[in-house]
Amino acid sequence: MRQRQLGGGERARSDRVGMHRLCENTVLESDTCNGARKAKRLVLVAVMAAVREKQGEEAWDALSESERKAESKVFIGDCHGHLRNIIIKAMGGAATKHLKEALEDDLAEFSSFDRMSVDCMDLIHAIFKQLHGGGEYAKGKGREFEAWRKVEFPGAMFVPFEKSGSSRMDLVFDGAVPIFMNRIIILEFLHTLVNVPGANNKLEKFLWTVLKCNEMTAVLRVCTLWQTLITNPMHWLTGKAST
């Protein structure tokens, strides 16, 4: 909550400080977990009690309903960004569940050592480890990929990969966009790694297998569309909450 600097005469006034100040067109905002919502309700009760005390019991009881509302403009709201993330997480989970059922027979052909997955987040993390230009993963080939791409596809549009080191719930959409846009270039590079004698890198095999899968390509496309058409505008609205 923003507070303006008080002048010299105002500093001496004790009524300028206190819970009652939160009744001046204030929104108590938090995420949507039960603990946060309970905390907002408790703060609201405390604010209303402070307003009543400041007005005086008799004066407050004498006010009409509309006058009380005018003296206690405090509201409860949910964080738009958190609501957006809840929607994204649910959609990502539903997509993974659908693919596990649709590709059950294909997945059964891989052993547990292959670490095969149809979770879009697993793909995003794997791309970050293997191909991100930052080189955070010592065994990754991000620098090699960047040098190869500039030689083989010098004029092609390339969307930078998202970092996946955090636990952002919206990463399942944001991280899918560059993978979908760069898919053909990625596969061309992986072809030089996996289709050679003696190749036995589990991470590269995982990426090669998943990015050739039509169903996974469809999921990446859907995530890209949702990120562009729905969640980006929602993210913009979150930043404009004050207006």
Side-chain angles (χ1 to χ4, degrees), residues 97-122:
K97 181 176 182 294
H98 173 76
L99 285 184
K100 283 182 177 179
E101 295 172 353
L103 301 175
E104 183 178 4
D105 293 339
D106 298 279
L107 291 171
E109 296 180 4
F110 295 94
S111 72
S112 59
F113 296 102
D114 291 316
R115 301 176 186 175
M116 200 55 59
S117 170
V118 291
D119 188 334
C120 195
M121 281 300 300
D122 290 338

Side-chain angles (χ1 to χ4, degrees), residues 151-217:
V151 172
E152 299 295 331
F153 295 89
M157 184 182 74
F158 183 79
V159 182
F161 297 120
E162 289 281 335
K163 288 190 173 184
S164 68
S166 64
S167 58
R168 289 168 40 205
M169 285 191 285
D170 58 357
L171 186 62
V172 68
F173 281 0
D174 291 348
V177 175
I179 299 175
F180 177 72
M181 299 297 292
N182 304 328
R183 176 176 167 273
I184 299 301
I185 297 177
I186 298 170
L187 283 171
E188 288 287 346
F189 178 72
L190 290 173
H191 175 70
T192 66
L193 302 177
V194 300
N195 293 319
V196 294
N200 189 29
N201 185 298
K202 285 185 172 60
L203 180 56
E204 293 166 0
K205 181 182 177 182
F206 167 77
L207 290 173
W208 175 254
T209 304
V210 170
L211 288 174
K212 290 194 305 174
C213 175
N214 288 335
E215 288 81 359
M216 283 300 297
T217 302

Side-chain angles (χ1 to χ4, degrees), residues 44-95:
L44 178 61
V45 171
V47 171
M48 296 305 299
V51 172
R52 187 184 184 98
E53 182 181 353
K54 182 177 180 295
Q55 291 283 343
E57 293 289 337
E58 293 184 3
W60 180 260
D61 291 339
L63 296 177
S64 65
E65 188 65 26
S66 60
E67 289 173 328
R68 291 180 183 179
K69 288 182 179 180
E71 292 294 327
S72 55
K73 292 183 177 179
V74 55
F75 310 95
I76 284 180
D78 292 325
C79 172
H80 200 158
H82 191 264
L83 290 172
R84 168 179 170 269
N85 282 336
I86 289 174
I87 295 171
I88 293 172
K89 184 176 181 180
M91 292 181 67

Side-chain angles (χ1 to χ4, degrees), residues 136-156:
E136 285 84 351
Y137 181 54
K139 296 182 180 179
K141 293 183 172 62
R143 294 183 179 89
E144 292 88 339
F145 173 69
E146 185 69 8
W148 174 89
R149 180 182 66 82
K150 290 180 178 179
V151 172
E152 299 295 331
F153 295 89

